[in-house]
Structures are given as structure tokens and as C-alpha cells.
Amino acid sequence: DLVAGTVEVKGTADATWRAIQGSGAALTEGTRIRTAGKSGLGLRLASGDSFRLNEQTELLFESSAQIHLLAGTVYLDSGSDDSAAELEIRTPAGRVRHIGTQFELKYTREALRLRIREGQVVLSYPVGEVQAQQGDELSIGRDGRLFMSTVDPYGSEWEWVQALAPMPGGDRRSLASLLNWVERETGREVHFARPDLEARAAETMLHGNSRRMVPMEALSVMLETTDFYYTVTGENEILIEESGH
């Protein structure tokens, strides 16, 4: 879906790594992928899920239902539908299975870290299994001990995920659908200054923009063609108001 920087792949029959030049390539089972520094990759899985690789990440696609994360950070967005296909991600420190969710998984030789942005994830590791939910952050150190803390669904730690987000499809869509996308990708909640503005947002149609944009940039650009504007209030709220002209 999106190649940012230097991304290389190696198939089962390949002797050397080769660079992916652009979007649209098909990857098969047994393919290894690695991203360089300041690089990233956005993939669309066969299930329709959005799968994203941060910089300095390497993994192996073992099958359509299983990925082996060798190093680095990945993110899965299975959509808001709980019926999305189940995917298991394995690491030497443990493996995770999602239950309709958004989550980030980071693995290094020092630790495994799992952050759940939405939904639920089952983490299995050598001494047990735990089910985590939205807002949970789980870490396993080299000693195998599990630590739990919390994480917000918004903030700078999710910016790399937004940079690789797939753009909403279609040349013509409602403002409401754009706001839903922005809300999901940024982790911020969209609110309307008046109840009637929400109904108007559903009726306001936007025309497509071919330029790739991160969510907040897309919101700013697309609202310029409407009678709406937004304000970020606090850290996690986007307030939609009427411009009055």
C-alpha cells in the first residue's frame, strides 16, 4: 500500500535482497521483509487488514495467518469489525493473537513490548498466557518477567503508524467518513460543537485528493472546501465547528 524509504524483500528462491520500488507489489508466503532506518512499509493483507512496519524492522511471512517478527516494530489494524481474520505474530519472546483490534508489537533482543490501542489481544509467553485490552501495555524483559502498565491511544508514539495509514478509498465520500478515519488513525475523539453539525457532516460530500496525506493534514486540507473547521482541544479531542461563511 505504501513504501517509505528503503524497503527490501527476499523470497524463498532469492539469493539476495531486492528493493521494493513502489506500491502495488504482491508478497507471497515465505517472503522476508526488512526496512532501513527512517523507512516504513504499509501492507494490505489478504483479509483486508492494514499491517504496518516501522523503521529497522525485519519479519518473515510464514503463512496468511502467521508472521514471525525477527526484530523491530509492527502495527495491525484489523478494522472495527470483529469478524476480521485472526493473525498470529510470533517472536522468540512470545506470540500474540488479536481479537478485532489495533495494536503495536515491538521486539528486540532485550524485550518484547505490546501496546493495545483498541480491542483485545492474547499474549502467550514461556510461563503463561494473558489477555490484554484497550489501553494496556505489556512488556517482557530478558528474564521472562511480565510487566503491565497503561498507554494512551493518542500521542507522538503513534505518529509512525499514521504516516503509513492507508487513505480512505473512493473519489467521493462524506465528511463523516473522513472524520471516522481521522478518529481511528489518531486515537483522538471527534466532537461537534452543535448536534446538528454531526448530521450535516454525514450529508457533506468531499471530492478525492490524489496526494497522500497523514490524517490531520488530510482533515485540514479537506475542510478548506467546506463550511467546517476543527480545533484540537486538550490532547485527545478534535472539535468540529461551523466557520460561519
Side-chain angles (χ1 to χ4, degrees):
D1 183 58
L2 175 64
V3 178
T6 301
V7 180
E8 296 178 312
V9 296
K10 186 177 182 181
T12 54
D14 296 333
T16 59
W17 292 89
R18 56 184 175 83
I20 298 179
Q21 300 298 332
S23 61
L27 303 176
T28 58
E29 293 181 358
T31 298
R32 292 181 68 150
I33 305 175
R34 68 183 183 187
T35 59
K38 298 182 179 180
S39 301
L41 177 67
L43 297 173
R44 181 70 70 181
L45 302 182
S47 61
D49 297 350
S50 173
F51 189 72
R52 308 169 205 178
L53 287 68
N54 200 4
E55 64 175 347
Q56 297 179 325
T57 294
E58 184 174 345
L59 57 78
L60 168 66
F61 272 100
E62 296 182 327
S63 71
S64 59
Q66 191 168 82
I67 291 173
H68 187 185
L69 177 60
L70 303 169
T73 310
V74 296
Y75 179 84
L76 175 71
D77 184 350
S78 66
S80 56
D81 189 338
D82 289 346
S83 66
E86 185 175 286
L87 175 71
E88 181 179 86
I89 304 177
R90 296 194 304 112
T91 76
R95 65 184 190 274
V96 300
R97 291 181 288 109
H98 75 88
I99 310 172
T101 192
Q102 293 176 308
F103 71 86
E104 177 197 76
L105 179 63
K106 181 177 183 178
Y107 171 72
T108 68
R109 292 184 178 180
E110 300 299 320
L112 177 148
R113 186 190 71 196
L114 174 64
R115 289 173 167 174
I116 297 90
R117 207 175 186 191
E118 179 186 277
Q120 300 178 68
V121 173
V122 176
L123 170 64
S124 302
Y125 62 112
V127 298
E129 184 174 275
V130 60
Q131 183 166 308
Q133 59 187 1
Q134 179 177 332
D136 288 341
E137 178 176 318
L138 283 63
S139 300
I140 300 175
R142 295 188 68 177
D143 59 2
R145 295 176 61 190
L146 176 69
F147 296 91
M148 298 187 67
S149 57
T150 59
V151 62
D152 291 322
Y154 56 87
S156 58
E157 60 264 40
W158 302 107
E159 288 181 356
W160 79 267
V161 171
Q162 297 174 45
L164 297 171
M167 292 286 289
D171 294 330
R172 183 175 169 82
R173 58 187 180 276
S174 69
L175 173 58
S177 68
L178 175 68
L179 293 173
N180 289 338
W181 174 71
V182 170
E183 190 173 48
R184 183 168 187 81
E185 292 294 344
T186 64
R188 291 169 169 160
E189 297 180 358
V190 172
H191 297 278
F192 294 87
R194 301 196 315 268
D196 64 295
L197 296 184
E198 184 172 4
R200 286 183 51 198
E203 298 171 353
T204 301
M205 303 306 296
L206 305 172
H207 295 283
N209 190 307
S210 59
R211 183 164 63 90
R212 190 101 190 194
M213 294 178 283
V214 296
M216 293 305 293
E217 179 189 12
L219 179 61
S220 180
V221 169
M222 300 306 288
L223 285 187
E224 289 180 356
T225 65
T226 72
D227 292 331
F228 297 90
Y229 70 96
Y230 78 91
T231 305
V232 177
T233 58
E235 293 184 330
N236 67 333
E237 181 185 71
I238 299 173
L239 181 64
I240 303 298
E241 301 179 78
E242 188 176 25
S243 60
H245 62 76

